[in-house]
């Protein structure tokens, strides 16, 4: 597999995504236009072969493109880890529900609880934390 080159400006945007920032919030915090951040996110998705921001963060972690301090340990239930792992692979909540035979409400609850337990502001940030802690199921 060819090495993926992430430029410094793209890395800053990727880090903001991993923190759970929206594109607008990332733009504000980085002093960039929303258009610039939108374009960099599209470029990152393409470079990482990801269809969602969450999947991009997950792949960047796997490739060692994101680093940072290791957060305090947290405990996820097996179901929370499974759902978060599937979201990290780029699956939608609807698809995760179908594949795991869980209702939409159960999936919504699980995807809400995992970030709460990990003190994350989004699923993307929860995936970063859970990956660093080795909490995600390895379904590959």
């Amino acid at each position: 597999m060819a090495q993926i080159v992430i430029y410094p400006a793209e890395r800053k945007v990727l880090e903001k995504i991993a923190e759970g920032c929206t594109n607008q919030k990332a733009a504000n915090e980085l002093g960039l236009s929303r258009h610039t951040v939108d374009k960099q996110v599209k470029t990152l998705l393409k470079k990482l072969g990801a269809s969602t921001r969450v999947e991009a963060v997950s792949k960047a972690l796997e490739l060692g493109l994101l680093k940072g301090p290791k957060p305090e340990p947290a405990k996820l239930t097996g179901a929370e880890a499974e759902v978060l792992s599937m979201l990290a692979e780029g699956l939608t909540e609807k698809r995760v529900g179908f594949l795991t035979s869980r209702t939409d409400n159960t999936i919504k609850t699980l995807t809400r609880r995992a970030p709460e337990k990990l003190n994350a502001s989004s699923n993307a940030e929860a995936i970063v934390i859970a990956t660093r802690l080795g909490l995600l199921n390895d379904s590959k």
Side-chain angles (χ1 to χ4, degrees), residues 84-106:
L84 200 56
S85 294
M86 294 175 87
L87 292 174
E89 293 173 14
L91 299 175
T92 64
E93 288 182 7
K94 198 94 161 138
R95 186 77 177 142
V96 171
F98 174 78
L99 292 172
T100 61
S101 299
R102 292 187 176 104
T103 66
D104 288 347
N105 286 338
T106 299

Side-chain angles (χ1 to χ4, degrees), residues 9-132:
E10 294 169 338
R11 184 176 311 280
K12 288 179 183 178
V13 170
L14 185 60
E15 289 168 353
K16 289 298 175 186
I17 291 170
E19 290 171 13
C21 291
T22 63
N23 286 8
Q24 184 61 61
K25 185 174 181 186
N28 293 344
E29 290 185 11
L30 296 171
L32 301 170
S33 73
R34 166 75 186 266
H35 174 75
T36 298
V37 171
D38 289 346
K39 191 173 178 180
Q40 287 179 337
V41 168
K42 281 184 181 179
T43 300
L44 286 164
L45 291 174
K46 186 175 181 180
K47 284 182 175 184
L48 294 166
S51 57
T52 66
R53 292 160 39 105
V54 170
E55 185 182 12
V57 168
S58 178
K59 287 187 175 191
L61 282 165
E62 287 175 16
L63 296 169
L65 299 173
L66 280 177
K67 301 198 183 328
K70 193 171 183 178
E72 289 299 310
K75 293 194 178 196
L76 296 178
T77 65
E80 291 162 349
E82 177 184 32
V83 169
L84 200 56
S85 294
M86 294 175 87
L87 292 174
E89 293 173 14
L91 299 175
T92 64
E93 288 182 7
K94 198 94 161 138
R95 186 77 177 142
V96 171
F98 174 78
L99 292 172
T100 61
S101 299
R102 292 187 176 104
T103 66
D104 288 347
N105 286 338
T106 299
I107 296 300
K108 286 181 195 305
T109 298
L110 293 169
T111 57
R112 185 188 72 243
R113 280 197 317 216
E116 287 173 0
K117 285 184 174 182
L118 297 169
N119 290 326
S121 60
S122 68
N123 284 334
E125 186 179 13
I127 288 167
V128 170
I129 294 168
T131 300
R132 288 180 183 155

